Amino acid sequence: MADLTKVIECVPNFSEGRDLKVIEQILDCFRGKDGVKLLDYSRDEDHNRLVVTVVGEPNSVKWAVVCAIGKATELIDLTKHEGQHPRMGATDVVPFIPLNNVTEEEAVELSKEVAKEVFDKYNVPVFLYEKSASAPHRQNLAKIRKGQFEGMFDKIKEDEWKPDFGQEVHPTAGVVAIGARMPLVAFNINLDTNNLDIANKIARSVRFINGGLRFCKAIGIELEDRGIVQVSMNMTNYTKTPLYRVFELVKIEAKRYGVSVVGSEVIGLLPMEAMINTAEYYLGVEDFSIDQILEKRMME
Amino acid sequence: MADLTKVIECVPNFSEGRDLKVIEQILDCFRGKDGVKLLDYSRDEDHNRLVVTVVGEPNSVKWAVVCAIGKATELIDLTKHEGQHPRMGATDVVPFIPLNNVTEEEAVELSKEVAKEVFDKYNVPVFLYEKSASAPHRQNLAKIRKGQFEGMFDKIKEDEWKPDFGQEVHPTAGVVAIGARMPLVAFNINLDTNNLDIANKIARSVRFINGGLRFCKAIGIELEDRGIVQVSMNMTNYTKTPLYRVFELVKIEAKRYGVSVVGSEVIGLLPMEAMINTAEYYLGVEDFSIDQILEKRMME
């Protein structure tokens, strides 16, 4: 038996979308390193934010990410940071996502190792979030980040918002959230109406918080240039709530408003399994295994 | 831009399914070599045949395959070979299949390089077949192989069956077919009837030779233990004749016999794109690109 190749993904968000010199120094931590592959990055000037997508062998990714957080801590000063996107740290959030032959537990463990390094090396306090959270109220990033950098100095004095590592907000780099989560698929379904109310009603009927599917977040949005509306979704666990299930459910809900589904979109990257389990469903394939996929076998 | 990783697949068939010592020596040509990955092999004692699946960097795969053909030529004596499967050579057939960042033309070129090496090194005559064929009547393996090893000594004296390399049948190793072809997907669709006639009628309506889909071969077969019948297919180009299209067509044809599709099977390995273009169709995804698949990006 060949050794199985372990692959983890990391999508760190840094609070710099404008200064290319800073951005390049952060990206350099992911370049030319064995076992690390920089897949993608996007910077947004309005948000003043950089989002990096990197994959690779877990230990190699770990040290590349620690390097990048060090650079961000050194080069980004949050006391001077302005942008539309909420933020609480020079490195704002660092999710680790298990991809190939990595368990959720291993991703959680890796996120905690990175958290410890970040505090030991750079003195930046860390909140463990999502699957790595030390308490249920600390799973949700938005709740941790509420108050942002400016409010964090008071917030972390509260017992329930004491960081997992560290006690004092870093004066220029703030605090950071680090944790493990499942891959997220951004999946949008287009309707043949311009009535936003209908998209919102359908969104409420399929999303978890209102009684819908367990791993679905959804809102209605307008596509003004096309004159239609869309159910815009984040699928937070495609293995347990597959794309075909929400797609069929949206069609069923749309019917009561006399509306049809006219197409869909997948935004950004997604693991092949999210598409393959959908093909498997529609073709009614019996006893299919992901190991029948050539590319999966090649990665082992 | 990173260099794109080129990946080719090769599925050589050898005429030995019983003698493990011979089989191991052939397999050793694919083991422990940089750029070559032995994905799978299966030997069949009734067929007295070994089928190997190997993937990797084209030049590395080329030399591993040349090595294996050498071993088979040395160790397999067709004058003593018995088995249910038709065969004409110690190495019977060697298809090269372009997978990742390899064009059909490059696969054809590689198959010709291997053909030349095989004749120069081992004096085994080669027929180029499928996409590599030097004439239309030599594309089909079954036509080349007709007469088998025993009939080949006379057959290659005919002008239209002169090998592409060599003039004399190798006394113990016969002749070999080498060429490039698209990945083949073995896809079977199950019907809720035990009437083989219906499966055969549907097979005839969807397969190319009777006026059906361009890249579909199909026959009806009985699944005796389950008491149902099946349309058993080889899809010879899933990019141009996708799985969803034949699946929907079989459903439509089944309807006229009052029969339903109850499931399907995919046998063996298939490229992820064959499943992904099917998911794309059923979800109606607009502007999807295979480059949105994480694993695809990781292989580049």
Side-chain angles (χ1 to χ4, degrees):
Chain A
M1 290 290 293
D3 273 355
L4 299 181
T5 305
K6 288 176 185 284
V7 180
I8 204 159
E9 183 186 8
C10 186
V11 188
N13 288 218
F14 303 95
S15 297
E16 179 58 70
R18 296 170 189 169
D19 187 334
L20 291 180
K21 278 187 201 153
V22 171
I23 288 168
E24 286 301 312
Q25 286 188 68
I26 292 170
L27 293 176
D28 278 345
C29 289
F30 301 109
R31 287 172 171 147
K33 294 203 173 150
D34 280 351
V36 176
K37 193 163 171 68
L38 175 59
L39 279 194
D40 194 31
Y41 62 91
S42 63
R43 65 184 186 92
D44 188 302
E45 302 213 354
D46 294 332
H47 286 184
N48 200 3
R49 194 173 178 88
L50 170 70
V51 180
V52 176
T53 304
V54 62
V55 294
E57 184 277 315
N59 198 53
S60 308
V61 170
K62 168 185 164 180
W63 291 111
V65 170
V66 169
C67 161
I69 295 173
K71 277 290 161 204
T73 305
E74 177 193 335
L75 302 172
I76 299 171
D77 182 353
L78 273 209
T79 64
K80 296 173 184 156
H81 183 274
E82 287 179 347
Q84 283 173 17
H85 199 289
R87 77 287 177 274
M88 63 182 181
T91 307
D92 199 52
V93 56
V94 183
F96 287 94
I97 302 135
L99 282 189
N100 205 46
N101 303 313
V102 174
T103 63
E104 198 176 284
E105 291 69 31
E106 289 172 319
V108 166
E109 186 53 37
L110 190 78
S111 74
K112 290 180 178 175
E113 289 172 24
V114 170
K116 185 173 186 313
E117 290 293 334
V118 166
F119 177 65
D120 287 353
K121 278 192 150 75
Y122 313 126
N123 214 28
V124 176
V126 181
F127 288 96
L128 296 171
Y129 85 120
E130 285 277 355
K131 301 287 180 191
S132 309
S134 51
H137 73 280
R138 298 158 77 111
Q139 288 176 329
N140 187 299
L141 176 66
K143 285 187 186 167
I144 296 171
R145 194 163 54 196
K146 197 173 174 196
Q148 299 194 48
F149 171 70
E150 291 76 7
M152 215 44 72
F153 295 83
D154 286 338
K155 182 174 180 172
I156 70 171
K157 290 174 190 156
E158 297 171 31
D159 268 359
E160 64 179 336
W161 294 113
K162 190 177 170 306
D164 292 281
F165 294 86
Q167 286 165 354
E168 306 267 332
V169 175
H170 187 289
T172 56
V175 303
V176 57
I178 301 178
R181 65 162 169 80
M182 283 296 291
L184 185 143
V185 178
F187 183 47
N188 304 328
I189 299 178
N190 299 334
L191 307 174
D192 65 349
T193 174
N194 61 3
N195 186 334
L196 182 59
D197 192 41
I198 292 176
N200 274 316
K201 281 179 177 159
I202 294 172
R204 277 194 291 274
S205 66
V206 299
R207 70 191 181 194
F208 176 62
I209 49 165
N210 296 96
L213 296 166
R214 172 71 186 90
F215 296 102
C216 176
K217 298 176 177 179
I219 54 169
I221 65 167
E222 274 185 280
L223 302 185
E224 284 179 27
D225 49 333
R226 294 177 61 178
I228 60 172
V229 296
Q230 181 177 73
V231 182
S232 177
M233 297 175 293
N234 273 332
M235 304 304 293
T236 57
N237 187 332
Y238 64 84
T239 64
K240 293 181 179 162
T241 304
L243 301 189
Y244 74 81
R245 193 172 298 153
V246 76
F247 185 74
E248 292 299 324
L249 206 51
V250 166
K251 284 203 285 190
I252 287 167
E253 294 291 335
K255 216 183 242 177
R256 66 193 290 185
Y257 307 108
V259 161
S260 296
V261 166
V262 291
S264 69
E265 299 176 334
V266 173
I267 307 295
L269 301 177
L270 83 173
M272 65 174 167
E273 201 175 351
M275 293 295 269
I276 285 165
N277 67 11
T278 284
E280 214 181 312
Y281 167 77
Y282 285 109
L283 298 178
V285 189
E286 301 172 6
D287 300 323
F288 190 76
S289 158
I290 190 85
D291 289 327
Q292 289 179 256
I293 300 291
L294 259 168
E295 288 84 351
K296 172 81 178 170
R297 297 285 290 277
M298 286 164 58
M299 289 170 61
E300 283 176 356
Chain B
M1 289 289 293
D3 272 355
L4 298 180
T5 305
K6 288 176 184 286
V7 180
I8 203 159
E9 183 186 8
C10 187
V11 189
N13 288 219
F14 302 96
S15 296
E16 179 57 70
R18 297 170 189 169
D19 187 335
L20 291 180
K21 276 188 202 154
V22 171
I23 288 168
E24 285 301 313
Q25 286 189 68
I26 292 170
L27 293 175
D28 278 345
C29 290
F30 302 109
R31 287 173 171 145
K33 296 205 172 148
D34 280 351
V36 177
K37 193 164 172 68
L38 175 60
L39 278 194
D40 194 31
Y41 62 91
S42 64
R43 63 183 187 93
D44 187 301
E45 300 212 356
D46 294 332
H47 286 183
N48 199 4
R49 195 173 177 87
L50 170 71
V51 180
V52 176
T53 305
V54 62
V55 293
E57 185 276 316
N59 199 51
S60 308
V61 170
K62 169 185 164 178
W63 290 111
V65 170
V66 169
C67 162
I69 295 174
K71 276 290 160 204
T73 305
E74 177 193 334
L75 301 173
I76 299 171
D77 182 353
L78 272 209
T79 65
K80 297 175 183 154
H81 182 276
E82 287 178 351
Q84 283 172 17
H85 199 290
R87 77 286 177 275
M88 61 182 183
T91 307
D92 199 52
V93 55
V94 183
F96 287 94
I97 303 135
L99 283 189
N100 206 46
N101 302 314
V102 174
T103 62
E104 199 176 284
E105 292 68 32
E106 289 171 320
V108 166
E109 186 51 37
L110 191 78
S111 72
K112 290 180 178 174
E113 288 172 25
V114 170
K116 185 174 186 312
E117 291 292 336
V118 165
F119 176 65
D120 288 350
K121 277 192 150 77
Y122 313 126
N123 214 28
V124 176
V126 180
F127 288 97
L128 296 170
Y129 85 121
E130 286 276 354
K131 301 287 180 193
S132 308
S134 51
H137 72 281
R138 297 158 76 111
Q139 287 176 329
N140 186 299
L141 176 65
K143 284 186 187 168
I144 295 171
R145 193 164 53 198
K146 197 174 172 195
Q148 299 193 48
F149 171 69
E150 291 76 7
M152 216 41 74
F153 295 84
D154 286 338
K155 182 174 180 173
I156 70 171
K157 291 174 190 155
E158 298 170 31
D159 268 359
E160 63 180 333
W161 294 113
K162 190 177 170 308
D164 292 282
F165 294 88
Q167 286 164 354
E168 306 267 331
V169 175
H170 188 288
T172 55
V175 303
V176 57
I178 301 178
R181 65 163 170 80
M182 284 297 290
L184 186 142
V185 178
F187 183 48
N188 304 327
I189 299 179
N190 299 333
L191 307 174
D192 66 349
T193 175
N194 60 3
N195 188 333
L196 182 59
D197 192 42
I198 292 175
N200 274 317
K201 281 179 177 160
I202 294 172
R204 278 194 291 275
S205 67
V206 300
R207 71 191 179 194
F208 177 61
I209 48 165
N210 295 97
L213 296 166
R214 173 70 186 92
F215 295 103
C216 176
K217 297 176 178 181
I219 54 169
I221 66 167
E222 275 186 279
L223 303 184
E224 284 179 28
D225 51 331
R226 293 177 63 178
I228 60 171
V229 296
Q230 182 177 72
V231 182
S232 177
M233 296 173 293
N234 272 332
M235 304 303 293
T236 57
N237 187 333
Y238 64 84
T239 63
K240 293 182 178 161
T241 304
L243 301 189
Y244 73 82
R245 192 173 298 152
V246 76
F247 185 74
E248 292 298 324
L249 206 51
V250 166
K251 284 203 285 191
I252 286 167
E253 295 291 335
K255 216 183 242 177
R256 66 192 291 185
Y257 307 107
V259 161
S260 295
V261 166
V262 292
S264 70
E265 299 175 334
V266 172
I267 308 296
L269 302 176
L270 81 174
M272 64 174 167
E273 201 175 352
M275 292 294 269
I276 285 165
N277 68 11
T278 284
E280 216 180 311
Y281 167 77
Y282 284 109
L283 298 178
V285 189
E286 300 172 8
D287 300 322
F288 190 76
S289 159
I290 190 84
D291 290 327
Q292 289 178 257
I293 300 291
L294 259 168
E295 288 84 352
K296 172 83 179 168
R297 296 286 290 276
M298 286 163 57
M299 289 170 61
E300 283 177 356

